[in-house]
Amino acid sequence: MKKRMSVILSLVLAASAFSAVPVMAEDGDVVNLTIWSPTDREQVEAWWVEKLAEWNEAHPEIQVSREAIDRSDSYAYDNKIATAVTSNDLPSIFYVDGPQVSYYAANGITVPITEYFSEEDMADFVPSTVAQCTYDGELYAISATESSVAFYYNKDMLKECGVDTDDLDSRTLDNPITWEEMAEIAEKCTTDEHVGAHIIMDHGEGLPYALEPMYISKGKDYISEDGTEAAGYVDSEEAVETTTYLAEMIANGYANVDPIQDEFLNKACATMIGGSWEVSTLEQSADFDWGVTYYPVSDTGKAVSPCGDWSAAISRDCEDVEAAGEFLQWLMNTDNVATYAAAIAKPATRNTAYETEAMAEYADGPRALFVEQLNNTAVPRPRTPSYATFSANYAEAMTNIFSDAATNGEVDADYIQDELTNVADLFTEDYETYYAE
């Protein structure tokens, strides 16, 4: 009953914050700003209530309200934004997923916010966040949180299979495990009771997000650096080799083709390419000894890791961009970033946030590893307005490739080449149709 009442109270407070009557300024009209962002855990909803009340009390001339959009249907949020774009009825500020920053910027749906953040601010944000939120030389969004992916391992399982876990524990950013080592561990740890590896988060955005560093490490990203070309990149010789490596994990039975929820937690796999969010889950629920080390690197390439998260942008329909910019400056200050990141249980984007009490648990251990990656090896997904088209087609192609490998027990390089070339062709068609000059 206490938990139920807590949830009800949270919802009531959130609703009251959204519908509150603005306090009138003494010397002029009130600027009313609205925010759209996805719903989240109870602690995050409570954070928004507290922070908006704090801002509104201190700034009677700029009153801010938020509408939390339910994401139980994964498309509900995006559909609401798309409808608002069509009807020119966007909120003042709305949150966008990292790889979509370029799409909204290229289509004039959001406005630059570079002037609202100083060089000192930008130097404090981790490089991956700045890169993610920048399009055509301008900052178009800003985020309080980040994400990362690394290599988790069940020490108990690995020891039973003859793997030296002390070696894994001692790895550094300059000496991560290699693909060859990852495959060897997966082979040793594949038994009748469990597979050796978990490499597929889902058959959607989880595929391009979690696997992109492998392509970069091998020598070719999905798309050119300027975001205009996929041909010669996602279908390159390097990309085919990378995809072949991943497909062989499936064909050999070292990993499951279908994503299984909590596969690592439930000891159905011995290792996992998993997100930074898994740390808290494992700390709370795992009944085995586990470790995490840096994202695997190709045998000849450089260390790379994933990143990206939701970011706040000012819409073209905002009636007072200057007021919205002032609010974003405040919303993304060190203390707010730190407390928001702590509430949502994600890494913070500002390095000074880790000096605060709210982020003390990131000082060492698994969380510190993810911060180290974000500052040194993190690369955002391709910054191109055609990213959504690429992502959907890449995910479909990889699902086809993995399914073919699982069914036949072997990898067909020609089939991989055809699937990836189709991804490149569909990207080219979309980009040239809508964005090429």
Side-chain angles (χ1 to χ4, degrees):
M1 176 62 74
K2 289 183 178 180
K3 182 177 181 181
R4 181 171 181 270
M5 289 302 296
S6 177
V7 172
I8 292 173
L9 176 60
S10 177
L11 293 174
V12 169
L13 288 172
S16 65
F18 174 69
S19 59
V21 177
V23 178
M24 293 301 294
E26 295 181 359
D27 57 350
D29 294 332
V30 173
V31 174
N32 291 294
L33 303 177
T34 55
I35 301 174
W36 286 358
S37 66
T39 55
D40 213 297
R41 59 199 300 184
E42 184 179 344
Q43 297 95 315
V44 179
E45 297 302 316
W47 182 92
W48 275 109
V49 171
E50 177 185 345
K51 287 299 175 179
L52 291 186
E54 179 183 330
W55 169 272
N56 287 337
E57 181 178 0
H59 300 82
E61 76 286 1
I62 304 174
Q63 293 289 291
V64 183
S65 60
R66 169 178 173 258
E67 182 177 352
I69 312 300
D70 184 14
R71 294 196 74 217
S72 55
D73 172 358
S74 60
Y75 296 103
Y77 185 82
D78 291 337
N79 289 343
K80 187 174 179 67
I81 292 177
T83 300
V85 168
T86 302
S87 61
N88 296 316
D89 194 27
L90 287 163
S92 312
I93 297 168
F94 68 100
Y95 274 67
V96 303
D97 198 6
Q100 294 295 358
V101 169
S102 297
Y103 168 80
Y104 289 111
N107 285 280
I109 297 169
T110 55
V111 301
I113 59 172
T114 309
E115 64 180 286
Y116 303 110
F117 294 90
S118 66
E119 290 184 8
E120 184 179 359
D121 286 325
M122 291 295 92
D124 189 31
F125 283 96
V126 294
S128 57
T129 296
V130 178
Q132 170 192 262
C133 294
T134 300
Y135 179 74
D136 198 23
E138 292 277 3
L139 191 71
Y140 274 90
I142 195 67
S143 177
T145 54
E146 262 288 7
S147 66
S148 190
V149 174
F151 184 76
Y152 291 80
Y153 47 98
N154 182 318
K155 294 187 180 183
D156 298 337
M157 284 185 180
L158 267 59
K159 288 176 181 177
E160 289 178 5
C161 297
V163 177
D164 182 2
T165 58
D166 290 339
D167 174 60
L168 294 178
D169 293 343
S170 67
R171 295 303 179 105
T172 65
L173 191 68
D174 296 326
N175 182 35
I177 67 167
T178 64
W179 293 4
E180 182 179 357
E181 290 174 314
M182 177 179 164
E184 288 175 352
I185 293 171
E187 181 180 10
K188 286 183 179 180
C189 296
T190 297
T191 70
D192 292 338
E193 287 76 37
H194 53 75
V195 295
H198 173 98
I199 61 173
I200 302 176
M201 285 188 177
D202 57 44
H203 286 308
E205 182 58 28
L207 284 169
Y209 165 70
L211 300 180
E212 182 187 17
M214 289 195 167
Y215 290 78
I216 300 173
S217 182
K218 190 65 176 177
K220 281 287 180 72
D221 200 349
Y222 296 139
I223 296 168
S224 61
E225 188 173 355
D226 63 5
T228 64
E229 296 180 86
Y233 291 88
V234 74
D235 61 346
S236 66
E237 180 181 349
E238 295 90 340
V240 171
E241 290 176 1
T242 303
T243 307
T244 297
Y245 167 80
L246 293 165
E248 284 177 344
M249 297 280 281
I250 303 293
N252 292 332
Y254 303 159
N256 290 310
V257 66
D258 291 318
I260 298 174
Q261 186 174 7
D262 294 330
E263 187 174 27
F264 184 74
L265 178 64
N266 293 328
K267 294 180 279 192
C269 63
T271 67
M272 170 180 67
I273 295 292
S276 47
W277 54 89
E278 301 284 1
V279 171
S280 59
T281 299
L282 291 169
E283 287 177 339
Q284 295 170 17
S285 305
D287 61 356
F288 54 87
D289 192 11
W290 59 275
V292 59
T293 190
Y294 303 91
Y295 193 97
V297 63
S298 75
D299 301 301
T300 57
K302 63 177 182 178
V304 187
S305 59
C307 63
D309 204 9
W310 290 82
S311 305
I314 299 177
S315 83
R316 68 184 183 196
D317 297 336
C318 179
E319 295 183 358
D320 195 323
V321 172
E322 186 174 346
E326 182 180 344
F327 173 73
L328 279 187
Q329 282 180 330
W330 174 84
L331 187 69
M332 298 297 171
N333 69 34
T334 292
D335 288 339
N336 288 339
V337 164
T339 54
Y340 179 81
I344 203 170
K346 292 181 179 180
T349 53
R350 297 191 74 134
N351 281 304
T352 50
Y354 296 105
E355 300 170 8
T356 68
E357 184 178 353
M359 300 298 288
E361 61 185 354
Y362 283 81
D364 51 32
R367 290 178 177 82
L369 179 148
F370 287 111
V371 176
E372 188 179 5
Q373 286 194 157
L374 287 169
N375 273 298
N376 294 281
T377 64
V379 176
R381 281 158 283 182
R383 284 166 286 167
T384 173
S386 290
Y387 181 79
T389 295
F390 166 81
S391 174
N393 290 316
Y394 172 83
E396 181 179 355
M398 293 300 283
T399 297
N400 293 340
I401 290 166
F402 289 155
S403 297
D404 181 73
T407 300
N408 297 317
E410 60 181 10
V411 175
D412 184 340
D414 290 336
Y415 182 66
I416 290 175
Q417 182 71 71
D418 290 344
E419 286 287 325
L420 295 181
T421 297
N422 185 54
V423 174
D425 290 345
L426 291 171
F427 173 90
T428 299
E429 179 182 353
D430 185 85
Y431 187 85
E432 291 188 349
T433 299
Y434 299 106
Y435 304 106
E437 296 180 357

